[in-house]
Amino acid sequence: MAPGWWTEAVIYQIYPRSFADSDSDGIGDLPGITARLGHLAELGVDAVWLSPFYPSPQADAGYDVADYRDVDPLFGSLADADRLIAEARAKGLKVIVDLVPNHTSSAHRWFRAAVAAAPGSPERGRYIFRDGLGPDGAEPPNDWQSVFGGPAWTRLVEPDGRPGQWYLHLFDTAQPDLNWDNPEIRAEFLDVLRFWLDRGVDGFRVDVAHGLIKQADLANWEEPQEILSGNEADKPRPPMWDQDGVHEVYREWRRVLDSYDGDRILVAEAWVEPAERIARYVRPDEMHQAFNFEYLLAAWTAPTQYAVITRSLEATDAVGAPTTWVLSNHDVIRHASRLGLSAQGGRPNGIGIGDPQPDAALGLRRGRAATLLMLALPGSAYLYQGEELGLPEHTTLPDESRQDPTWERSGHTQRGRDGCRVPIPWEADAPSYGFGPTDASWLPQPPLWAEYALDRQRGVAGSTYETYRTALRLRREHALGRGTLEWLSSGDEVLSFRNGGLTVLTNFGTAAVPPPAGELLHSSAPLDADGRVPTDVTVWVRHS
Ligand code: GLC
């Protein structure tokens, strides 16, 4: 059987709020996306993944879902979703939607029913309710912290007005965690999968895939809460992340997907380390892909990049799955800025006025080099809207305009993720840079957006947009996604490898180096006057 499309696909993440606004409310929507699909076909990606557009109070920008089978009026209607899927298909693009199974919105009918019902009721049994500790139950059931800061438990006021039970929310208070030990929850999500598969989607990106099952005793966990579950040999696994029970859920989902025609996929958002642990999510009867966050978090040095690429390939090879690569998404600092920070690696959570600012030119230069390195690797790659424009993080967003719940919940210590979510620029001279018909924009766009606008870069040789477009074309022509990587050099300064007919070289050192022998097909920035590859540049060469 031919390998599935997804094994080598380039998948473009659309964050619907910030992609294109058709109705001037300052929030992007599905008709806006449909009208701009031509951009994605021209760019040359294979698929789009849409972040949530379901009915939601938007406490966490739609990752708080109140109804899994509808579209929020903010974003349009089910008919708009159908049109988007059909138009995408007509343009040869697959469509992946976001599924948020770890928690619902507190506005979901199930949670409302749970709040109205008594302790011990079947309604409460859909979530994780517990009595508090201490004589009057005033202490939370355990010491878990929310990923967004503050305790992971909130106490209810019972229908009779007395303080009552506590419910678990690993994220915001408006995102109660579901009880995945309850068969009703499992059945519901199988049905939700079918609902969207029947509408023609090509797959699901599964939110917080490592969180569904909690250790049965809800044991205390003194460590600071992070979405990333590290698994250092000398430490126990956190009781809320990467429990073995999650895999049974995905095996069941896989059977549903396999019962449909075509090649539909499941993609795990699982912040799990090390690579061998994440590979467990993509065993042959589970999901198809998992985001490679270890790669995203890796520092920009040759030894680190070499190690993470090698480890990632080995770990997925061991289970027969393709590797994925990703540099940016809606939860992290855009890589064109992250790579310009003086401290490399890890996951800084937002940058604001008064914080050390990234070196913008260095970040973009490294960002383009990193992208060309990534797009030459075998496997599947994810792009985040705007990175094809070289868009930086908005690092001077006024704190008053922040919307990420992280900012409030962390007591203003973590600025959060708004800086990568600012509506993107299409036309330099249009209101809201072409994001919508008027100036309305749910997060303020900085003036420098004009220089990154698509219309300033289209057809301009050497622009970031044209650099991405050429890379995607060559990647397809040379079938790089389904190739094999063979290292040629893995020193401290230079990484170089072969993939099929191409030799790829990235210069991490301080001095320019000669390019590999052969015909230069592409580079992330011009070579120097002597034809050498300067610092922080990647080249693609057709070897003879
Ligand atoms: C995932 C999403 C993130 C969201 C969180 C809670 O990590 O990517 O945006 O806040 O889950 O749903």
Side-chain angles (χ1 to χ4, degrees), residues 60 63 103 148 171 205 207-208 227 269 330-331 417:
D60 184 23
Y63 282 94
H103 43 266
F148 295 157
F171 295 89
R205 175 265 189 191
D207 190 67
V208 196
I227 194 171
E269 187 225 18
H330 67 294
D331 290 328
R417 305 159 293 175

Side-chain angles (χ1 to χ4, degrees), residues 43-269:
L43 179 62
V45 299
D46 303 292
V48 296
W49 145 39
L50 300 161
S51 279
F53 48 72
Y54 314 108
S56 161
Q58 306 288 322
D60 184 23
Y63 282 94
D64 46 323
V65 179
D67 179 354
Y68 290 86
R69 296 180 186 79
D70 205 348
V71 172
D72 195 293
L74 262 184
F75 299 118
S77 63
L78 269 180
D80 291 328
D82 291 341
R83 259 191 299 275
L84 192 164
I85 295 166
E87 283 281 319
R89 172 158 309 142
K91 293 193 155 52
L93 298 166
K94 311 268 184 196
V95 177
I96 295 170
V97 294
D98 219 305
L99 189 72
V100 187
N102 181 66
H103 43 266
T104 68
S105 160
S106 52
H108 191 284
R109 65 187 160 83
W110 275 357
F111 193 70
R112 291 180 191 272
V115 170
S121 61
E123 287 84 357
R124 292 238 169 140
R126 294 180 181 130
Y127 293 90
I128 304 178
F129 280 91
R130 292 289 185 278
D131 293 330
L133 303 180
D136 49 6
E139 301 292 320
N142 70 22
D143 64 358
W144 294 5
Q145 297 294 299
S146 141
V147 172
F148 295 157
W153 295 90
T154 292
R155 193 171 196 188
L156 277 192
V157 177
E158 297 294 349
D160 64 8
R162 281 184 300 183
Q165 284 197 301
W166 296 71
Y167 69 90
L168 177 71
H169 51 88
L170 290 179
F171 295 89
D172 192 62
T173 45
Q175 294 167 297
D177 280 52
L178 284 164
N179 171 16
W180 274 87
D181 293 326
N182 181 340
E184 194 187 352
I185 305 299
R186 296 187 184 225
E188 168 75 356
F189 275 87
L190 294 178
D191 196 64
V192 170
L193 290 175
R194 290 200 181 92
F195 179 87
W196 289 101
L197 291 167
D198 289 342
R199 297 197 103 83
V201 305
D202 298 288
F204 302 89
R205 175 265 189 191
V206 181
D207 190 67
V208 196
H210 60 319
L212 272 50
I213 304 288
K214 280 76 181 175
Q215 194 173 295
D217 60 0
L218 302 182
N220 278 338
W221 179 252
E222 306 75 37
E223 307 290 320
Q225 181 54 279
E226 282 187 63
I227 194 171
L228 180 64
S229 95
N231 183 30
E232 292 154 47
D234 56 338
K235 277 201 189 152
R237 192 176 319 291
M240 69 293 283
W241 301 133
D242 197 25
Q243 302 293 305
D244 287 343
V246 296
H247 297 286
E248 199 187 306
V249 174
Y250 303 133
R251 283 191 199 106
E252 202 175 4
W253 290 11
R254 176 65 178 256
R255 289 196 288 275
V256 172
L257 266 75
D258 284 350
S259 73
Y260 278 77
D261 60 354
D263 224 353
R264 325 266 185 131
I265 70 165
L266 293 166
V267 184
E269 187 225 18

Side-chain angles (χ1 to χ4, degrees), residues 396-412:
T396 54
L397 196 64
D399 288 336
E400 313 79 77
S401 54
R402 292 191 184 279
Q403 312 252 345
D404 182 351
T406 305
W407 175 236
E408 286 304 325
R409 286 195 60 86
S410 69
H412 296 181

